[in-house]
């Protein structure tokens, strides 16, 4: 990058006569030269601009109206076929997210770590007391600070709960899946079949014209879902919400649209557009799935037991999905216990749970409320 530097300015003096003035005055004549500035300064400027984008997004998210006061012009007026959504999806958000990821991996000078991270802590309300390592100089990059570990004991897992929260975040929506439609927020739905894809992860699929019935193991059960939104200030790891066995992973390359509540209210089928890794399996009540959904600046989804998952790769086809099987003749899959570490995001995104359970399942955290990893989420009455 280049800049005009006063240090390299040549100052020439020449006499100039002014009408009505006595004598001559010396007026400086400036000749400017272009000089290089460090690339790190350019990266810092990009970082500043990107932080501005994140801050603005979170301010809109915090100020978005509640479900009972939703103004006109939301999901019912801005559907996925609208030109605004097409233009939004055409933005190079995947490329921007890759650049943001590279920026996050640049090592920050030790002298700048504490000031930089304190700005982030102040902007997004991070609780550093919950971090396993509270010395800010320890985190070499922004990415390492985003993915900081929790201090042991600060998130006790409710062992008696049927289902616990997989992460810190905000409950966008939870409830029963009706007519094969899932609510991403109240009043805005998307097809379950588009989110999960063909029921090919089961060797003994139940014969039915209804997609939800083919997913379930027990026809007397219901399908439920829960959407947890992770903000940039939240703890970025996600965990197993119950005891279950993971048998298959399905990777859907796609867009990296924002998953904030404001956008979720306006873009129907948002989670079907975005890149996501869906993990299918079984638990005590039948079918169980947990999906990690990517978002703007969150192209990196890391799952600890899945070393072959690579997200936000350039030129991947977005009209296909890619399966990885974890079950074989020796073992039925990967056993997970409640609270086990599952994976992490690079900044903040969304976890979607879709599972089968008996009728009358009760969710303990209402929509719009904050929740912590390990907190009781649901139980059977």
């Amino acid at each position: 990058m280049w800049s005009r530097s006063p240090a390299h300015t040549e100052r020439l003096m020449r006499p100039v006569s002014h009408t009505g003035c006595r004598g001559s005055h010396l007026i400086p004549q400036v000749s400017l030269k272009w000089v290089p500035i460090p690339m790190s300064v350019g990266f810092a400027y990009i970082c500043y601009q990107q932080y501005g984008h994140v801050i603005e997004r979170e301010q809109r998210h915090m100020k978005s109206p509640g479900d009972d006061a939703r103004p006109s012009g939301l999901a019912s007026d801005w559907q996925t076929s609208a030109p605004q959504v097409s233009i939004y999806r055409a933005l190079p958000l995947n490329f921007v997210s890759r650049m943001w990821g590279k920026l996050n991996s640049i090592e920050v000078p030790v002298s700048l770590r504490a000031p930089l991270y304190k700005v982030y802590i102040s902007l997004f309300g991070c609780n550093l007391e919950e971090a396993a390592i509270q010395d800010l100089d320890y985190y070499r990059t922004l990415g390492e600070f985003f993915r900081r570990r929790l201090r042991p004991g600060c998130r006790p897992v409710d062992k008696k709960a049927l289902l616990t929260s997989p992460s810190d975040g905000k409950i966008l929506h939870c409830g029963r899946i009706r007519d094969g439609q899932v609510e991403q927020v109240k009043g805005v739905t998307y097809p379950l079949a588009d989110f999960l894809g063909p029921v090919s992860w089961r060797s003994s699929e139940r014969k039915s014209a209804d997609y939800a019935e083919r997913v379930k193991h027990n026809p007397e059960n219901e399908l439920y879902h829960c959407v947890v939104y992770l903000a940039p200030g939240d703890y970025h790891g996600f965990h197993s919400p119950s005891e279950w066995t993971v048998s298959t992973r399905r990777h859907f390359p796609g867009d990296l649209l924002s998953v904030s509540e404001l956008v979720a209210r306006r873009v129907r089928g948002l989670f079907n557009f975005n890149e996501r890794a869906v993990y299918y399996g079984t638990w005590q009540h039948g079918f169980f799935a947990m999906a990690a959904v990517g978002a703007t600046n969150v192209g990196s989804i890391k799952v600890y037991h899945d070393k072959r998952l690579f997200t936000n790769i350039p030129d991947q086809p977005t009209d296909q999905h890619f399966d990885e099987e974890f079950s074989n003749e020796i073992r039925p899959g990967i056993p997970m216990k409640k609270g086990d570490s599952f994976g992490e995001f690079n900044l903040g995104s969304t976890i979607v749970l879709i599972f089968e359970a008996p009728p009358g399942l009760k969710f303990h955290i209402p929509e719009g409320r904050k929740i912590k990893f390990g907190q009781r989420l649901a139980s059977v009455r």
Side-chain angles (χ1 to χ4, degrees), residues 222-299:
E222 302 283 357
L223 279 181
Y224 298 89
H225 78 287
C226 183
V227 182
V228 184
Y229 168 72
L230 290 76
D234 290 327
Y235 163 59
H236 290 23
F238 50 96
H239 299 249
S240 173
S242 184
E243 292 189 7
W244 63 304
T245 301
V246 184
S247 59
T248 306
R249 179 261 292 157
R250 178 166 290 169
H251 176 211
F252 294 84
D255 300 331
L256 289 175
L257 310 180
S258 170
V259 292
S260 68
E261 186 175 3
L262 181 65
V263 176
R265 290 184 180 279
R266 292 178 176 270
V267 181
R268 187 182 299 275
L270 172 64
F271 300 145
N272 289 347
F273 292 145
N274 274 16
E275 182 170 26
R276 60 197 181 278
V278 186
Y279 290 85
Y280 308 86
T282 56
W283 72 323
Q284 60 177 302
H285 295 297
F287 173 76
F288 196 96
M290 181 164 72
V293 183
T296 306
N297 300 330
V298 196

Side-chain angles (χ1 to χ4, degrees), residues 121-311:
I121 291 171
S122 175
L123 289 173
F124 298 111
C126 304
N127 188 353
L128 191 59
E129 294 181 357
E130 296 179 340
I133 299 176
Q134 300 178 18
D135 181 8
L136 295 179
D137 290 342
Y138 170 83
Y139 302 101
R140 297 170 298 175
T141 67
L142 284 168
E144 286 187 3
F145 180 69
F146 294 154
R147 301 188 300 273
R148 62 195 178 277
R149 305 296 184 186
L150 289 175
R151 174 173 50 82
C154 74
R155 289 288 189 281
V157 177
D158 192 333
K159 299 297 183 180
K160 296 182 179 180
L162 174 69
L163 203 64
T164 59
S165 176
S167 67
D168 290 7
K170 179 181 180 181
I171 302 294
L172 290 189
H173 200 274
C174 56
R176 188 161 68 91
I177 297 175
R178 304 174 186 273
D179 301 322
Q181 297 290 316
V182 188
E183 284 192 290
Q184 58 193 40
V185 292
K186 188 174 182 179
V188 184
T189 63
Y190 60 93
L192 176 65
D194 291 347
F195 186 78
L196 295 180
V199 190
S200 57
W201 63 83
R202 290 188 59 186
S203 58
S204 56
E205 178 185 346
R206 296 175 61 242
K207 302 298 182 182
S208 174
D210 184 82
Y211 181 86
E213 291 300 318
R214 299 203 305 272
V215 169
K216 293 190 301 184
H217 292 217
N218 185 346
E220 297 182 359
N221 285 342
E222 302 283 357
L223 279 181
Y224 298 89
H225 78 287
C226 183
V227 182
V228 184
Y229 168 72
L230 290 76
D234 290 327
Y235 163 59
H236 290 23
F238 50 96
H239 299 249
S240 173
S242 184
E243 292 189 7
W244 63 304
T245 301
V246 184
S247 59
T248 306
R249 179 261 292 157
R250 178 166 290 169
H251 176 211
F252 294 84
D255 300 331
L256 289 175
L257 310 180
S258 170
V259 292
S260 68
E261 186 175 3
L262 181 65
V263 176
R265 290 184 180 279
R266 292 178 176 270
V267 181
R268 187 182 299 275
L270 172 64
F271 300 145
N272 289 347
F273 292 145
N274 274 16
E275 182 170 26
R276 60 197 181 278
V278 186
Y279 290 85
Y280 308 86
T282 56
W283 72 323
Q284 60 177 302
H285 295 297
F287 173 76
F288 196 96
M290 181 164 72
V293 183
T296 306
N297 300 330
V298 196
S300 175
I301 302 172
K302 182 178 180 180
V303 175
Y304 303 134
H305 63 258
D306 189 357
K307 304 303 181 183
R308 299 182 63 179
L309 175 66
F310 300 97
T311 57

